């Protein structure tokens, strides 16, 4: 049977584990998989762009397990009461090709994006970073704040959004988180004195959410909202002046902030820093930029983590037929449904008659042959 993790299962799981311990554990899985980066089969995601957004397929495999996530990004959705980003994923056994897990990934994507941001910041931000500025208070924002608290010891979050109701929601959701939450009146106010800046806005345009006057020496910028061709958040001079770190560079060159830079603009991949193959931050005054677009290995790690955590309580779904005779797929239908039992019986009778006097058999509409 294929295992299934739905939205309600994730909510139950998170109630058991607690959000911050979950994020710490997830960050461990992501970091472990980034450390064995070279053993993965990797590809840039397959994106289908439309006027209003994008639908993407994100595959990754380590040769034993294969993961695939379906995810969308529709910045206009919230105006109609829908999420900007939704997702679900599949984990399959490479040796048989069988899906072993199907999971919701809308909540898991928010968690994995936050955990990845924190893994990157732990490697790139100044170790004494305690103040986070968050530009954008949408669906991802609370997860970002909690991951930075849990993994970096961030104590204060300054939040700003064009939508004051989104800021109200953010402040209410994190009122008992232990973080000092400050509502900022502008981006300039939010970033003033911040050690780390996360940009997580949604707009299908070349936005300039952060401009060079917002960035000071020693800052770490975690840019997650620029993740599609023509959808960026940073002024290009910020990118040009920073040390830039990426997930999977061929994908980031098309989708990330560096789409604004020449094709040979120098970047370092995060896995190289995590494995010690490349330096991360080299001085306290350096400006580091994690140009995050979200990569399939993060979803691979997340599905693996969710399955390992919830193994005991996980539900089964009958996604793949279970057969006594794997060549008798048709027989499964006959055994389960009186209708198909009759069809199978009449087909069997027909083939007996056919052998006596050849004539074509009528195929009922909706036949399993189609
Ligand atoms: N890098 C990744 O791995 C990754 C993963 C998930 C989502 N994302 C991206 O992160 C972004 C945020 O996602 P979400 O689910 O929170 O979206 P959301 O629509 O729920 O929230 C976005 C928020 O940004 C605000 N906003 C838009 N323009 C702004 C501006 N100029 N200044 C201040 N606030 C502004 C909106 O009012 C909204 O509250 C999206 O662009 C999404 O595509 C990236």
């Amino acid at each position: 049977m294929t295992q299934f993790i739905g939205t309600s299962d994730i909510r139950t799981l998170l109630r058991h584990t607690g959000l911050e311990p979950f994020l710490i554990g997830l960050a461990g899985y992501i970091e472990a998989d980034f450390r064995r980066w070279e053993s993965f089969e990797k590809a840039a995601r397959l994106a289908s762009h439309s006027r209003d957004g994008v639908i993407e397929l994100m595959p990754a495999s380590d040769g034993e397990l294969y993961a695939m996530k379906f995810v969308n990004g529709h910045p206009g959705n919230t105006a109609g009461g829908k999420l900007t980003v939704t997702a679900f994923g599949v984990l399959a056994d490479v040796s048989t090709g069988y899906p072993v897990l199907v999971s919701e990934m809308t909540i898991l994507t928010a968690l994995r994006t936050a955990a990845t941001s924190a893994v990157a910041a732990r490697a790139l931000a100044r170790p004494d970073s305690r103040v986070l500025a968050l530009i954008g208070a949408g669906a991802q924002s609370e997860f970002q704040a909690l991951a930075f608290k849990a993994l970096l010891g961030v104590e204060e979050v300054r939040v700003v959004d064009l939508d004051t109701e989104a800021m109200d929601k953010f402040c209410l959701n994190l009122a008992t988180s232990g973080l000092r939450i400050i509502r900022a009146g502008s981006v300039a106010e939010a970033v003033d004195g911040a050690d780390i800046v996360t940009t997580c806005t949604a707009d299908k345009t070349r936005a300039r959410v952060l401009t060079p006057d917002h960035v000071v020496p020693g800052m770490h910028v975690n840019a997650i909202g620029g993740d599609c061709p023509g959808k960026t958040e940073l002024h290009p001079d910020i990118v040009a002046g920073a040390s830039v770190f990426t997930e999977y560079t061929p994908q980031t060159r098309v989708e990330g902030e560096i789409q604004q830079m020449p094709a040979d603009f120098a970047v370092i991949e995060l896995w190289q820093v995590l494995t010690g193959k490349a330096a991360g931050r080299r001085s306290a005054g350096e400006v580091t930029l994690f140009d995050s677009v979200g990569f399939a290995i993060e979803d691979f790690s997340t599905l693996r983590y969710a399955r390992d955590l919830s193994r005991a309580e996980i539900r089964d779904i009958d996604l793949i037929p279970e057969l006594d005779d794997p060549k008798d797929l048709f027989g499964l239908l006959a055994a389960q449904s009186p209708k198909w039992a009759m069809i199978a019986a009449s087909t069997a009778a027909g083939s007996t008659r056919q052998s006596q006097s050849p004539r074509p058999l009528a195929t009922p509409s909706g036949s399993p042959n189609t």
Side-chain angles (χ1 to χ4, degrees), residues 81-324:
K82 288 185 159 60
L83 286 151
T84 296
V85 176
T86 68
F88 66 90
V90 179
L91 202 58
D93 175 358
V94 169
S95 66
T96 60
Y98 268 43
V100 293
L101 175 71
V102 174
S103 178
E104 91 77 44
M105 289 199 81
T106 303
I107 301 167
L108 286 180
T109 293
L111 289 159
R112 78 87 153 112
T113 304
T116 306
S117 291
V119 166
R122 205 163 47 178
L124 301 173
R126 293 190 334 273
D128 60 349
S129 297
R130 295 291 172 269
V131 178
L132 168 71
L134 258 180
I135 322 295
Q140 310 300 317
S141 59
E142 293 89 348
F143 298 91
Q144 287 282 322
L146 290 177
F148 280 94
K149 173 177 182 268
L151 282 127
L152 277 95
V154 157
E155 295 164 356
E156 180 175 309
V157 178
R158 301 172 183 182
V159 65
V160 67
D161 195 297
L162 297 175
D163 175 3
T164 54
E165 285 181 16
M167 290 171 72
D168 294 343
K169 173 241 21 169
F170 179 90
C171 295
L172 190 66
N173 280 341
L174 295 187
T176 58
S177 64
L179 285 162
R180 195 163 49 250
I181 307 289
I182 296 181
R183 281 175 77 106
S186 65
V187 171
E189 199 182 308
V191 301
D192 186 18
D195 305 304
I196 301 170
V197 179
T198 286
T199 52
C200 50
T201 65
D203 200 355
K204 208 170 173 349
T205 185
R206 289 270 164 110
R208 298 278 188 269
V209 173
L210 213 59
T211 48
D213 52 308
H214 294 137
V215 177
V216 296
M219 206 175 239
H220 174 66
V221 181
N222 174 52
I224 72 163
D227 58 359
C228 264
K231 177 170 176 270
T232 55
E233 295 178 303
L234 308 185
H235 189 289
D237 289 352
I238 297 176
V239 186
S243 300
V244 179
F245 299 83
T246 57
E247 294 148 310
Y248 182 61
T249 306
Q251 183 180 310
T252 313
R253 291 228 185 261
V254 177
E255 300 179 351
E257 296 298 331
I258 57 170
Q259 65 183 276
Q260 308 182 78
M261 296 290 115
D264 60 350
F265 181 75
V267 297
I268 296 168
E269 292 190 336
L270 180 59
W271 71 273
Q272 296 177 295
V273 179
L274 297 176
T275 54
K277 285 191 187 322
R281 168 175 293 275
R282 284 162 304 179
S283 74
E286 189 177 12
V287 173
T288 49
L289 164 61
F290 181 45
D291 186 2
S292 165
V293 292
F295 186 57
I297 289 178
E298 295 149 28
D299 302 308
F300 176 98
S301 315
T302 305
L303 287 167
R304 210 163 59 75
Y305 179 58
R307 186 167 75 131
D308 288 353
L309 262 189
S310 48
R311 210 178 272 274
E313 299 121 58
I314 219 157
R315 279 188 277 162
D316 287 333
I317 49 169
D318 62 341
L319 187 69
I320 303 297
E322 292 193 352
L323 305 170
D324 293 333

